[in-house]
Amino acid sequence: MSDSGADTAPNVQLPNVHVRAEVLVQALPHMQRYDEEIVVIKYGGHAMGDRAAAEDFAEDIVLLEQSGLKPVVVHGGGPQIGRMLDRLGIKSEFREGLRVTDEATVEVVEMVLAGSINKQIVGWISAEGGKAIGLCGKDGNMVRARRAARTVMDPDSHIERHIDLGLVGEPEHVDRTVLDAVLKAELIPVLAPVAVGSDGQTYNVNADTFAGAIAGAMRAKRLLLLTDVPGVLDKNKNLIPELSIEDCRRLIADGTITAGMIPKIETCIYALEQGVEAVVILDGKVPHAVLLELFTDYGAGTLIRRS
């Protein structure tokens, strides 16, 4: 650079440059820790409907892959499914937080999840310079599902009764073959939580549950569940930064963890018992939440370990 160029460079920019360099230096040990490791990220909630948040997420995923990690994205799409069902005049109901899925509904679920949403996310990642491929659990028999069995305790009789959710499935077996090939080719798999049963029936699988099954089968280093809340909260609505499996079960028993957070925690426990090192529940609406969690000392949610 010429002397005149150096004289005209605004000095005010230098501190920002130094700060950015310091951030990269601090991120280095985190990058080394996750080098060549598989990280499964469940992406869903209302953050999916925000274009700026979606672009931030896509940037994070591309940066992870460029930094030597092997990201696997699993996405949901409940609000988008609901809007499409309304447009088509198909009535839908929920029982115990899960959408009851009949033949007409499962067709819409597959169309929205494995079609429009899946390819939209692939497009966002591609726009940021990544190479992604959209798949669902049916591809290559990746995920075989069975009909989900749910029971609820009757408050009056205290007798458990079965809840019929229709074509809602839960993973029964995960075949790694396709995912191993995709990751070896340095592609980013983007997975829709639609699976097939042994009878060929299509099942709608909860995205958290699907992500937990994938993470367990892949022995992922981390499973990140991006949600609409900061993480697991105590009874005073304060974030709990870290939990063990024992802590989780105690907090469910004493009523601290309730409602929709219970199935998320159950997914976390399952993944940990299958060999995932740690699971994080974090707010997907926070800009670059994935990078904050993986590449900084601060974290961005609730970290859950086996003990």
Side-chain angles (χ1 to χ4, degrees):
M1 180 183 293
S2 68
D3 289 340
S4 60
D7 291 339
T8 57
N11 293 333
V12 72
Q13 290 184 358
L14 290 178
N16 290 335
V17 172
H18 293 152
V19 168
R20 291 177 183 178
E22 183 63 26
V23 168
L24 291 173
V25 169
Q26 291 179 4
L28 181 58
H30 299 282
M31 293 178 177
Q32 292 170 331
R33 179 193 306 166
Y34 292 108
D35 187 43
E36 293 297 309
E37 297 283 359
I38 294 172
V39 176
V40 177
I41 302 122
K42 183 265 179 173
Y43 178 52
H46 296 289
M48 289 180 63
D50 184 294
R51 181 58 185 262
E55 290 173 351
D56 283 349
F57 174 78
E59 287 175 349
D60 288 1
I61 297 303
V62 173
L63 184 55
L64 293 185
E65 200 275 333
Q66 291 294 315
S67 300
L69 284 75
K70 297 178 179 179
V72 177
V73 177
V74 175
H75 65 83
Q80 293 89 335
I81 292 170
R83 287 195 293 271
M84 182 59 73
L85 289 171
D86 289 342
R87 285 175 58 188
L88 297 174
I90 299 174
K91 292 185 178 180
S92 183
E93 64 172 307
F94 286 82
R95 295 176 189 164
E96 298 304 306
L98 294 173
R99 187 188 302 276
V100 178
T101 306
D102 57 16
E103 290 283 357
T105 303
V106 82
E107 287 186 17
V108 175
V109 167
E110 185 170 16
M111 176 180 68
V112 173
L113 290 180
S116 59
I117 295 178
N118 187 267
K119 302 314 174 191
Q120 189 175 48
I121 296 172
V122 168
W124 288 333
I125 293 173
S126 298
E128 300 300 334
K131 292 183 178 180
I133 182 169
L135 301 165
C136 75
K138 296 170 76 170
D139 293 309
N141 289 323
M142 185 191 308
V143 179
R144 187 172 69 242
R146 58 174 175 261
R147 188 178 290 251
R150 289 289 187 277
T151 59
V152 65
M153 184 72 71
D154 186 282
D156 298 321
S157 65
H158 299 289
I159 298 174
E160 283 192 338
R161 60 182 178 83
H162 175 72
I163 302 173
D164 184 9
L165 296 170
L167 299 177
V168 172
E170 53 190 18
E172 185 175 40
H173 175 73
V174 176
D175 186 330
R176 300 178 45 142
T177 306
V178 171
L179 285 176
D180 283 336
V182 168
L183 293 174
K184 186 177 181 180
E186 299 184 351
L187 298 171
I188 300 169
V190 178
L191 309 180
V194 177
V196 67
S198 56
D199 58 355
Q201 176 64 60
T202 298
Y203 286 101
N204 172 23
V205 181
N206 175 271
D208 291 329
T209 306
F210 192 97
I214 293 292
M218 301 300 290
R219 301 295 188 270
K221 181 84 167 178
R222 283 286 188 278
L223 167 62
L224 306 185
L225 299 179
L226 273 62
T227 69
D228 295 329
V229 295
V232 181
L233 307 180
D234 63 20
K235 289 186 175 180
N236 296 318
K237 305 302 179 185
N238 296 315
L239 177 69
I240 303 173
E242 189 164 340
L243 292 168
S244 67
I245 290 178
E246 252 184 48
D247 293 332
C248 290
R249 288 175 172 150
R250 174 175 53 80
L251 293 176
I252 290 174
D254 72 13
T256 301
I257 295 174
T258 60
M261 186 57 72
I262 292 178
K264 289 184 187 298
I265 293 296
E266 290 173 343
T267 290
C268 295
I269 292 172
Y270 170 83
L272 292 169
E273 291 178 339
Q274 294 301 306
V276 176
E277 184 181 278
V279 183
V280 185
I281 298 175
L282 64 161
D283 191 346
K285 301 189 301 296
V286 174
H288 301 293
V290 173
L291 296 185
L292 286 172
E293 174 57 40
L294 294 177
F295 286 169
T296 75
D297 295 329
Y298 304 104
T302 300
L303 177 71
I304 304 173
R305 300 181 187 272
R306 285 189 285 275
S307 60

